[in-house]
Amino acid sequence: MSHTPMTPVRVAALGLGYWGPNLARAWSGLEDAELAWLCDLDSGKLERFARQFPEARVTSDLDEVLADPAVEAVSVATSAPTHAALALRAIEAGKHVFVEKPLALTSSDARTMSAAADKAGLLMVVGHLLVHHPAVAKLKELVDAGELGRTHYLYTNRVNLGQVRSDENALWSLGAHDISVLLHLVGELPEAVSAQGQCFIHEGIEDVVFGVLRFPSGVIAHLHLSWMDPFKMRRVTIVGSDKMAVFDDMNADEKVKIFNKGVTHSGNGNGQPWQPASYGEYVQLRHGDTYIPRISSEEPLRIQCRHFVRCVRGLEVPRSDAAQGLAVVEVLEALQRSLDEGGSVVPFDASLLRA
């Protein structure tokens, strides 16, 4: 992918746990970035990754990183409860910030972070990785171009057997991925949400969650989140009035399929009222061809990190900025409220996000 040459952005990677090393690898491998620091409280991890990324300085002292005037940006890939505090410290030090999802665990913290970045004139983006996936980009292209017709509904499946958590439920552990994609594809915020789940392994921690988002346009979306399932699925399905499309992230060769299938309403063709002889005469099922478009195999993480540093340079507009991060946290909170209330419908006031 060609793009305008630019001075590399010096990035410090905070956190070397589950996802942090992947970010460090991405920063290290980009022409447009320079991995300047690795920071983690675990000396063993610092020693290990210092060998892997010899160009980076290492420290367990965040102040040392933030005091380096050459550092322009930091990536925060620590435990979710620490995101807000670390991001705010980086912003106070004048650094642009990349925060792994979720942006924060409360909308209050997310608002504080967003306001601080705005006041300082700094960039803050959220690691909603799937928004940068070439397959999701293709779905967005299809939706925006009207290729699928009018979107009727969407649903996502993010399930597996394993990765059982004892500190957060399936909604908060898995939901941010799919909520970010749904909001991105639909292009609007929901007007109401609801969710139901069940705790089978740990009391008070839902292992499976079913969520519903209703949008002002009439689109409805469904999420299935679970770490107790016989299948490993990472799938997004869009059903439109003309065609249907599926993104299957577990399929290495056929990430996206477009189905020329739908329901056709018959008419008399002259604009006059028409009375069908039977319901079958009025509604006809259409089974057309299946099309598999070519999807770039470039790693989404690389795309995301390159996008961030180009946004730092003002060359691109963020796809998942603080506003999107806040929206996802607000939806998660509303779904959690519904879970706590046994599945009640929770109105979603999108105007509050613009307040």
Side-chain angles (χ1 to χ4, degrees), residues 28-42:
S28 178
L30 283 177
E31 293 182 359
D32 295 340
E34 179 182 334
L35 180 62
W37 286 89
L38 297 173
C39 183
D40 196 280
L41 295 176
D42 188 324

Side-chain angles (χ1 to χ4, degrees), residues 73-87:
V74 302
S75 60
V76 179
T78 55
S79 61
T82 68
H83 285 183
L86 293 178

Side-chain angles (χ1 to χ4, degrees), residues 14 66 74 76 85-97 122:
L14 311 185
L66 299 181
V74 302
V76 179
L86 293 178
L88 287 171
R89 288 183 63 184
I91 291 169
E92 290 169 1
K95 315 299 184 185
H96 300 287
V97 186
L122 295 167

